[in-house]
Amino acid sequence: MTDAGPASDLAPEAFERLCGGRLGRPYRWARMCASTQELLRDPSLPEGAVAVAEHQTSGRGRMGRRWEDEAGRALLCSVLLRPKRRPLPQLSLVAALAVAEAIEEQTGCETAVKWPNDVLVDGRKVAGILLEASEGSVIVGIGVNVNQAAEELPATARHPPGSLRMATGRPHDRGVVLAAVLERLEHWYAAWSRGGLHPVVPHVEARNCLRGNEIAVAESAGLAGRIAPEGGLEVRLASGETIVVESGEVELLGEPLELVRRVDVGEHRLVDP
Ligand code: BTN
């Protein structure tokens, strides 16, 4: 890792002016590293430590996949949490909601959440979240496609990828996006720590773009329903039985996802095609 080179909108002197909360202290910035997740594997670091990089050489995605980036274009960040509440996988939804709200605030675009933790704009995946837990701590890895042009995004991505720049037609300051993500994450992490998923789920459900779609997940196939109170995904099987899937990778069986348009928390409808 090195910090030499041209100025960056994620450099400590730029970011520390924007950081108003508990998350982001200390702040570790690298021009290049294997994965920002590794920069936080230090038992002496306190909760709230954040690591970001301009480029990862071995960026990790969910399910053992790689997370590719174009140097200097994406927000690649990891946040160290030491939660007392369980179950830890619920933090996927907490982080997804935080990222979705931050993107909405920064871009004015409507977002959707593809359970459990992808964030979509215009039906394209613009952010993904990876949780890695060990010995009472969780490293929340957040990748947001910020300033990539279409040709700079991985062609092999399982879900059509997009970026904030593609969605808005203008570049975005990654330090400002990061500060917004951390502010929202601090808010929803505190809410979850106090009251569990109860206050979080309605806001995720309002962005649930799987609802009403034919999916396959965890060796089951059926119609995706709502996010269950404990964070699983309800799936209605062909038999008529409704099950709750706790984890897994969702495969869409039908048409590409329609973006959910939010009417109000607790009241949802799918956009007409
Ligand atoms: C996914 O959608 O599969 C999750 C992607 C998570 C990527 C981020 S980028 C910052 C952090 N470091 C990593 O190696 N991965 C996460």
Side-chain angles (χ1 to χ4, degrees):
M1 138 171 85
T2 168
D3 61 2
S8 161
D9 53 2
L10 287 173
E13 56 276 17
F15 172 71
E16 279 159 10
R17 280 198 295 272
L18 300 166
C19 175
R22 213 164 59 84
L23 303 185
R25 301 166 199 275
Y27 179 71
R28 290 188 168 175
W29 172 69
R31 286 229 173 255
M32 188 166 74
C33 66
S35 163
T36 53
Q37 301 288 95
E38 300 309 321
L39 302 182
L40 297 182
R41 288 199 195 287
D42 172 350
S44 70
L45 282 172
E47 176 167 79
V50 165
V52 301
E54 300 294 330
H55 174 54
Q56 296 180 134
T57 53
S58 302
R60 297 199 282 270
R62 291 180 72 232
M63 307 284 172
R65 288 192 288 269
R66 288 179 60 85
W67 183 262
E68 308 286 353
D69 71 83
E70 185 77 18
R73 296 283 212 234
L75 174 60
L76 309 166
C77 114
S78 298
V79 184
L80 178 65
L81 299 177
R82 300 192 188 283
K84 297 201 171 50
R85 184 173 282 278
R86 299 289 186 275
L88 296 178
Q90 291 186 344
L91 280 170
S92 282
L93 292 182
V94 172
L97 174 59
V99 171
E101 285 192 344
I103 288 173
E104 287 167 11
E105 184 187 303
Q106 292 305 311
T107 64
C109 295
E110 207 160 78
T111 63
V113 172
K114 177 172 171 268
W115 182 91
N117 51 17
D118 289 345
V119 180
L120 276 51
V121 173
D122 298 334
R124 293 179 170 272
K125 176 168 170 174
V126 295
I129 289 147
L130 172 72
L131 296 187
E132 293 180 334
S134 69
E135 292 166 18
S137 67
V138 182
I139 302 176
V140 183
I142 300 170
V144 185
N145 296 330
V146 179
N147 286 327
Q148 293 99 323
E151 61 275 15
E152 293 172 327
L153 290 164
T156 53
R158 296 174 77 253
H159 195 90
S163 70
L164 306 192
R165 179 178 162 191
M166 285 166 63
T168 61
R170 64 181 172 88
H172 296 265
D173 183 306
R174 291 173 303 157
V176 173
V177 175
L178 173 60
V181 167
L182 295 180
E183 189 277 322
R184 289 290 75 203
L185 183 58
E186 186 165 343
H187 172 85
W188 286 116
Y189 177 55
W192 174 77
S193 298
R194 280 192 307 268
L197 269 191
H198 179 71
V200 175
V201 163
H203 297 269
V204 181
E205 181 58 34
R207 297 169 173 83
N208 174 11
C209 60
L210 290 178
R211 188 176 171 137
N213 285 276
E214 290 290 340
I215 61 162
V217 59
E219 296 173 10
S220 301
L223 199 63
R226 60 174 195 140
I227 312 284
E230 296 305 312
L233 179 69
E234 290 187 356
V235 180
R236 194 151 132 242
L237 307 177
S239 64
E241 183 195 358
T242 295
I243 60 167
V244 177
V245 177
E246 301 299 342
S247 66
E249 187 73 2
V250 173
E251 188 193 340
L252 282 164
L253 299 179
E255 294 298 305
L257 288 177
E258 293 294 339
L259 189 66
V260 168
R261 296 225 178 275
R262 220 166 25 261
V263 182
D264 195 2
V265 167
E267 188 190 338
H268 324 288
R269 65 185 166 85
L270 292 171
V271 173
D272 293 331

